[in-house]
Amino acid sequence: TPVEAWTSKEKLLALGEFDRKLEVLNEDNIARYEDFLDQFPSVDVPNNEDGWNNLDLQDKVYAQPDYSDTTWRVVNLPGSVEDIEKENIDGAFWFRRKVCIEDSSTGYKLIISGGIDDMDDTYINGKCIGMTHCWNCPREYIVPQNLLVKGENTIAIRVIDTGGGGGFEGRMLLVSDSGKEIPIDGEW
């Protein structure tokens, strides 16, 4: 860790190398920053599997097929969150895509062969089909036939990246019970 992280303010001032950074960290700026952050809800980071399974970020509206994502940025997947944002960033991210299903009389599997870093909750037409709390573990979720409609269906995936790189790896596709593959990589 950087030594200055635990060095006292007085010692950093005496060194003279951190004057500009310390100006930014004055009491008024810190109070404004805290006020800004207070307008957003926050949750405690879970420390066990049960906590992650029951994590409620009050964001499930993004999984609903009638949610309008027209103002969202279009991204190409597979890829990393850092490539999309052009910076090292962690947190919760939603990705949505419409996919046309011609044969809704069969079940499918949703496959992300290289996995998701770190965790995901994956939805089809607003219903959760799976969640995995394992970074870069391949994803293979059963999509029950009764969740699909002939024509347009919505896939929504919430990714939680807790540190380091985050995102999607490998092939992304739906595979019908009869073996027909529908690629879902590309624009989301």
Side-chain angles (χ1 to χ4, degrees):
T1 61
V3 173
E4 59 267 16
W6 62 75
T7 305
S8 72
K9 180 179 177 182
E10 292 73 26
K11 185 65 174 175
L12 289 173
L13 283 169
L15 292 172
E17 296 177 39
F18 301 98
D19 293 353
R20 295 191 86 180
K21 289 182 180 180
L22 289 170
E23 284 176 26
V24 172
L25 294 175
N26 69 45
E27 303 282 329
D28 290 336
N29 285 343
I30 291 172
R32 279 196 296 270
Y33 183 65
E34 288 174 344
D35 288 344
F36 171 77
L37 290 177
D38 284 344
Q39 69 182 325
F40 301 103
S42 65
V43 297
D44 292 330
V45 175
N47 60 7
N48 59 48
E49 189 74 16
D50 191 48
W52 285 111
N53 286 338
N54 295 304
L55 180 65
D56 183 6
L57 297 178
Q58 301 175 6
D59 60 351
K60 300 277 172 52
V61 66
Y62 303 134
Q64 298 308 311
D66 58 352
Y67 177 81
S68 176
D69 58 14
T70 57
T71 61
W72 289 17
R73 184 176 350 160
V74 174
V75 298
N76 282 302
L77 296 179
S80 76
V81 171
E82 287 73 16
D83 288 343
I84 295 165
E85 290 295 328
K86 306 297 185 219
E87 63 181 279
N88 187 12
I89 189 167
D90 302 311
F93 307 89
W94 280 90
F95 300 88
R96 291 171 47 92
R97 179 190 173 112
K98 306 281 187 195
V99 62
C100 184
I101 302 289
E102 294 174 11
D103 180 8
S104 62
S105 67
T106 182
Y108 286 78
K109 289 181 185 170
L110 185 144
I111 298 171
I112 302 172
S113 67
I116 295 174
D117 186 353
D118 289 312
M119 305 169 211
D120 70 287
D121 291 41
T122 299
Y123 298 81
I124 299 282
N125 296 328
K127 303 293 183 200
C128 186
I129 60 166
M131 60 177 64
T132 301
H133 305 123
C134 172
W135 64 278
N136 287 350
C137 296
R139 304 313 202 250
E140 186 171 307
Y141 298 133
I142 301 296
V143 182
Q145 178 271 327
N146 65 338
L147 291 185
L148 300 171
V149 296
K150 184 175 177 140
E152 187 175 86
N153 292 264
T154 301
I155 303 170
I157 302 175
R158 180 178 68 190
V159 174
I160 297 179
D161 178 28
T162 60
F168 297 78
E169 296 277 338
R171 293 186 68 207
M172 300 175 67
L173 64 155
L174 288 169
V175 180
S176 73
D177 290 345
S178 64
K180 181 181 179 197
E181 295 185 0
I182 302 172
I184 58 170
D185 57 349
E187 290 187 352
W188 281 68

